[in-house]
Structure formats: structure tokens, C-alpha cells
Amino acid sequence: MTPELGHFVLALALALALVQSTIPLFGAARGNLLWMRSARSTAFGQVVFVGLAFAALMRAFVVSDFTVLNVANNSHSLKPMIFKVAATWGSHEGSLLLWVFILTIFGAAVAAFGSNLPETLRARTLAMQAWISVGFLSFLLFTSNPFERVFPPPLDGADLNPLLQDIGLAMHPPLLYFGYVGFSIVFSFAAAALIEGRIDTAWARWVRPWTLAAWISLTAGIALGSWWAYYELGWGGWWFWDPVENVSFMPWLLGTALLHSAIVTEKRDAFKSWTILLAILTFSLSLLGTFVVRSGLLTSVHAFAVDPERGLYILGLLAISIGGSLALYAWRAPMMEGGGLFKPISREAGLLLNNLILATATGTVLFGTLYPLFLEAVSGDKISVGPPFFNGAFVPMMLPLVFVMGLGPFLSWKRADLVGVLQRVRFVVVLAVLATLAIWYFAKGGPVLAYLSILIALWLFFASLREWALRVRLFEVPLQESIRRARNLPRAAHGMTLAHAGVAVLMIGMIGSSVWKSEEIAFVEPGTSVNIAGFDVTFEGVQRVRGPNYIADQGTLRVERGGSFVTALKPERRSYPVAQSTTTESAIRSTLAGDLYASITEPSLDKAEESGAWTLRILYEPFVGLLWLGAAMLVIGGSLSLSDRRFRVGAPQSSKARSTKPVAAE
């Protein structure tokens, strides 16, 4: 009975979404306060009904209700409870229900915390959000019912893809969806502002925290997915330019541009068209990602292999959302005032360059991702666009951006004194050059581009610290005074410093693990030793171990350095009988200096019966730990900025705005 209740409340949520998408718009047009405020009640009703549906589906997975087709196809009675819960969003239908649930959460959040918004703007924003809900709720109910029954029910389930039975990937989709869907509310704010014709500094202040919250979640989701791929897939890589990785990366790039563009709109009443367009395109790319992974175009561990009819439905939603919003933008954007003027050397100019580079980089990734799909659809030819293209086209584009990131905070608004800026950063340049020379001395080799990238990363790191030190006048005044200044700084200032420094740390991790990586692959028997990066790794054999729903061959590796014992690594090769598949569980010794990474694969067929030989893969990846540290600094820095008191205090309404506040119809 619970699945039927879940299906019923989804239908009720669709009915509320239809009401919310129309009545508040008419109310805003006619100045009817009662109709406008109905959006709050319907937004709360939607989140309650969709939340009940999500809880009903989760219960079906927890109790292993195999009369539900979704549960029968994606769960098993022997699966650990944590993965039964995670299986709720491990399928196409379940993940889409989570998508809609998060969508309604953001709508309800605006209804609950948007009391400082003008009534008309809030009503139109919630109406736009409801139109998105109508599209996806109808998609769920008409093509992807998560509560569909199966008769006769199987005795047990088919189990979830073993690669997805991991705590890292259990948390990856919710974080990613909070990022994807978080940009929907920014999109709704932009569409509402275009309809209203009101885009000013107050609007930018309202939009910034929602943009920042979505960006933080998307950053954490991408980082967690990269970490999962690194330790779970057994390849030792953290980014593969997989099309499904790319469709999450593109909204992140444009979302970063949007975040900085909104700052200019708030501080200088400029970049209005940029901010609105970036809000539309960022969410459009989120919808594009939803289409790519659910249309059947791709075969990937990330993708949901579904029938093309569902893909056509999402393509229709994509065309309506993008086409309608861009048409509205083309109609209303020319009416927006240009805002404040600025000189070529100014903070506005630096942020404009930031937008241009990020938009160009996004276009490059978009082209490399979609061109093979278009070519195959038109001509039937299959080509692969992989890391060589993306690394060659994308990476050099990022270096000027990182340089500007370090210089931008030193520039003043409107017009900057370039000579004064150069005087403040001259020690930063010296430190970056000396540190790069030190790395060159110890690394003893490597491409010139790697050292140039390291130099720019170190420039950004030291420049970020220098800018913060100037704010608190570190070493210029007594330490107690500097601490007092640091406490009085807005949290957003600390967040910016930490996030920019995090980009530098992340870059060093990327470069070190890519350029100076060592790798050894060998057939090994008990007693075989392999030397890599100064470590002596001895293979001691394999033993059979049993997990809750798998059987594993667990290898034991003794690691020594200079004759002294360092650690023991235990990589596994797991077999899942129900899913009839195997996975590689790597073993990793992690330090900030580098990771020693080991995995074993199927034994050599021609040697297994005689000597029990296995294929051992060992890598040493310098500085790869800095990659995860840098990602964590980005998330923490963004969270610090989001906690800034200025984001919790609404922009004051002008007396004119208060005097024109609509009144309820009699």
C-alpha cells in the first residue's frame, strides 16, 4: 500500500505545481497580494508531498519490497543497509525523484527565508520554479514511475551495480544534485527579474547566497566523484574527461563565472546582462547533463541506460526551458542599464576577463563532449575525443585565469593603480619563483609547461595570503591588533582567501600526480618484489575473504623503504555473485608527499594453475593528496562566505518600493 500512497502524493504535488506556476503570476500582474502569497503555501505543500513520496520509496528499499520493480532491479536482501538506502537514488527513477525532491526543497527555502524579497519578485520566482517542477513531476508520473509494481515478484532482487556500492558514491549523487538543482532557483530568480524588469544591486544580493550554496554542493559532489573514481576503479586516475564527468564540470565552470559576475552587479550595479545570461546558461547546462545521462546516448558507469522515449521527453523540456528563457532574455535584456563605467585596469576588468575565459573554457568542453555524439547521429561515424584534446585545449586556457585570480583582489574598483599593485606583489613573485626553482631542483626533469603551471599556482597561493595579510596588516601592527582585524573581517573575505588558495593547492596536486607519476605493472607470485619511487614492494600472496554480499581475493603487499618496514597494503578483487560482476578495490598509502597505490587484477591465465601468478599494478603519485586538500579548501572557503552575516540580512527596500507595494484585492 505504501508505494501506491507514494504515487498518489506525487500526483498531488503535480497538481500543486500547476497551481503555483499560474496563480502567483496572475497575482503579480494584477497586484493581488493574496494570489501572490499562495505561492508560499503551494511551495510548502510540494516539498511535503514529494518528501513523502521519497520516504515511501526509501522504505521499499529498506524492507526489500520486491513487488516494486525499481527495488527488484536495484537491490538485494543481503546488501548492507547503507547501500539499501543509497539504492533509493541509484536508479533512473529514484535519482529523478531525488532531483525533484531537491527542487521542491529549494522552492520551499525561498518561500520560508525570502521574507525580505519584494512580493512580486518572490511570487514570480516561485512560479518559475513551479514550472520546472511541472516538467519533471510529469516526466516522473508519465514515463518513469518509481513505484511501478511487478507481478509475480521475484524471490530476491538483482542487486545494485557493485561499482555503486561504495560510501563515496552513495554521497556523490545527492551533493551533485543539490548543485545541479540549486542553480534552478538562480534561473528562476533571473527569469522572474526579466519578467519584472527589475535587476539591481538588491537583486544581486538576493541571488548570491543561492548561487554560492549550489556552487559549494556541486564542488563537493565533483570532488567526491573524482575521489571515488581514484580509489574504486583501480586505474589510479582521478579525472578521465568522461562525457558524464564533463556535463557536471560545465555547470561548475559557468557557476563560478556567475558567482563572480553577481559580485560586480551587487557592488557596482554592472554586468547585469552577464549575470542574467550566466544564470540561464548555468541551469541550462544542468538540464543538458540530465538529458545526456538519461537519453541512452552514452554507456557509462555514471549514465542511466534508458529508452530513447524518455530522452525525447527531457529533450522537449530542455528545448522549452532554454528556448523560452533565452527568448525572454533577448526581449528584455536590451532594456537593462549598463551600470557603472570602469577602466581597463580595474577589478571590474579582471572579473570580466574571468567571465570570458570561463565561458570560453565551457564552450571548449561542450564542443569536445557533444561533437562525437552529433557526428555519430549525422554520419554514423564513431570518434573518440579524449584527454589529449581536453588537456591541450583546456589547460593552457586556465593559466591566464589563475594569474588574474591572484592579481584581481589587489585591484580597486573602477580604476586601479597598476604601479602600486606591482609594488605590493613583488615579494609574491620572488617567493613563487624561488619555490618553483626548488621543485625543479628536486624533481629533476619534466616538461616546461608543468613548471610554468607550478609557478602560476604558487603565485596564486602566495598572492592570496599576501592580500589577506594586507587586510589585517600582519607584521605592520602588533599581533594582537592583527588578530582583532582578522576577527572583524567579513567571513566572505576569509572565504575568498581560502578558496583561492585552495585552487592553487588543487593545481599543484593535479600537476604533480600527472607529470611525475611512476607506474609498474608486473606478473607476481608470492615472494616477488617490485621497486618503485624508492619503495620495495613484496607480494606475499592472496587469501579468500567473504563480505556481506561478495567474495574477495585479498592480496597482501609488504612495503619497505631503505630496509625498514613502512606499511602493508591489502588490495582486493571482489566478485558479486548476484550481480555477476567483479570490482577492483585498491589499497593506498596516502601522505601529502604522495600516494603509493596498488591494485590486483585477474591472475594470468597461462600461469595461474602452475604458480598462482597475479597481475599487480603499482603507482606512486606525488602530491595527489593536495588535490583533495585543495577541493576541501574550496568547499570550506565557500561555506565561510555563505555564513557571512551580510547574506543573512536582506537588502533594505527603498521608500519608493515600500510605497508601491501591492495591496490585496477586495
Side-chain angles (χ1 to χ4, degrees), residues 33 38 40 44 123 188 218 250 300 378 381 388 392 410 426 431 437 459 497 614 628 664:
L33 189 61
S38 69
R40 296 184 71 246
F44 293 141
S188 297
L218 190 57
M250 289 185 290
S300 166
V378 172
D381 297 332
F410 292 94
R426 63 184 186 275
L431 277 175
L437 289 174
W459 146 260
T497 299
W614 286 75
W628 323 123

Side-chain angles (χ1 to χ4, degrees), residues 41 52 57 84 98 114 151 159 229 245 251 263 400 607 621 662:
S41 302
L52 288 173
L57 183 61
K84 286 184 178 181
L98 176 63
F151 186 82
D159 208 357
E245 290 177 325
I263 294 174
K607 298 182 180 181
E621 304 205 34

Side-chain angles (χ1 to χ4, degrees), residues 23 134 231 233 295 324 359 370 413 429 504 516 531 610:
I23 300 300
V134 167
Y231 74 81
L233 297 183
S295 61
L370 296 186
W413 296 106
V429 175
W516 293 291
N531 181 269
E610 298 179 6

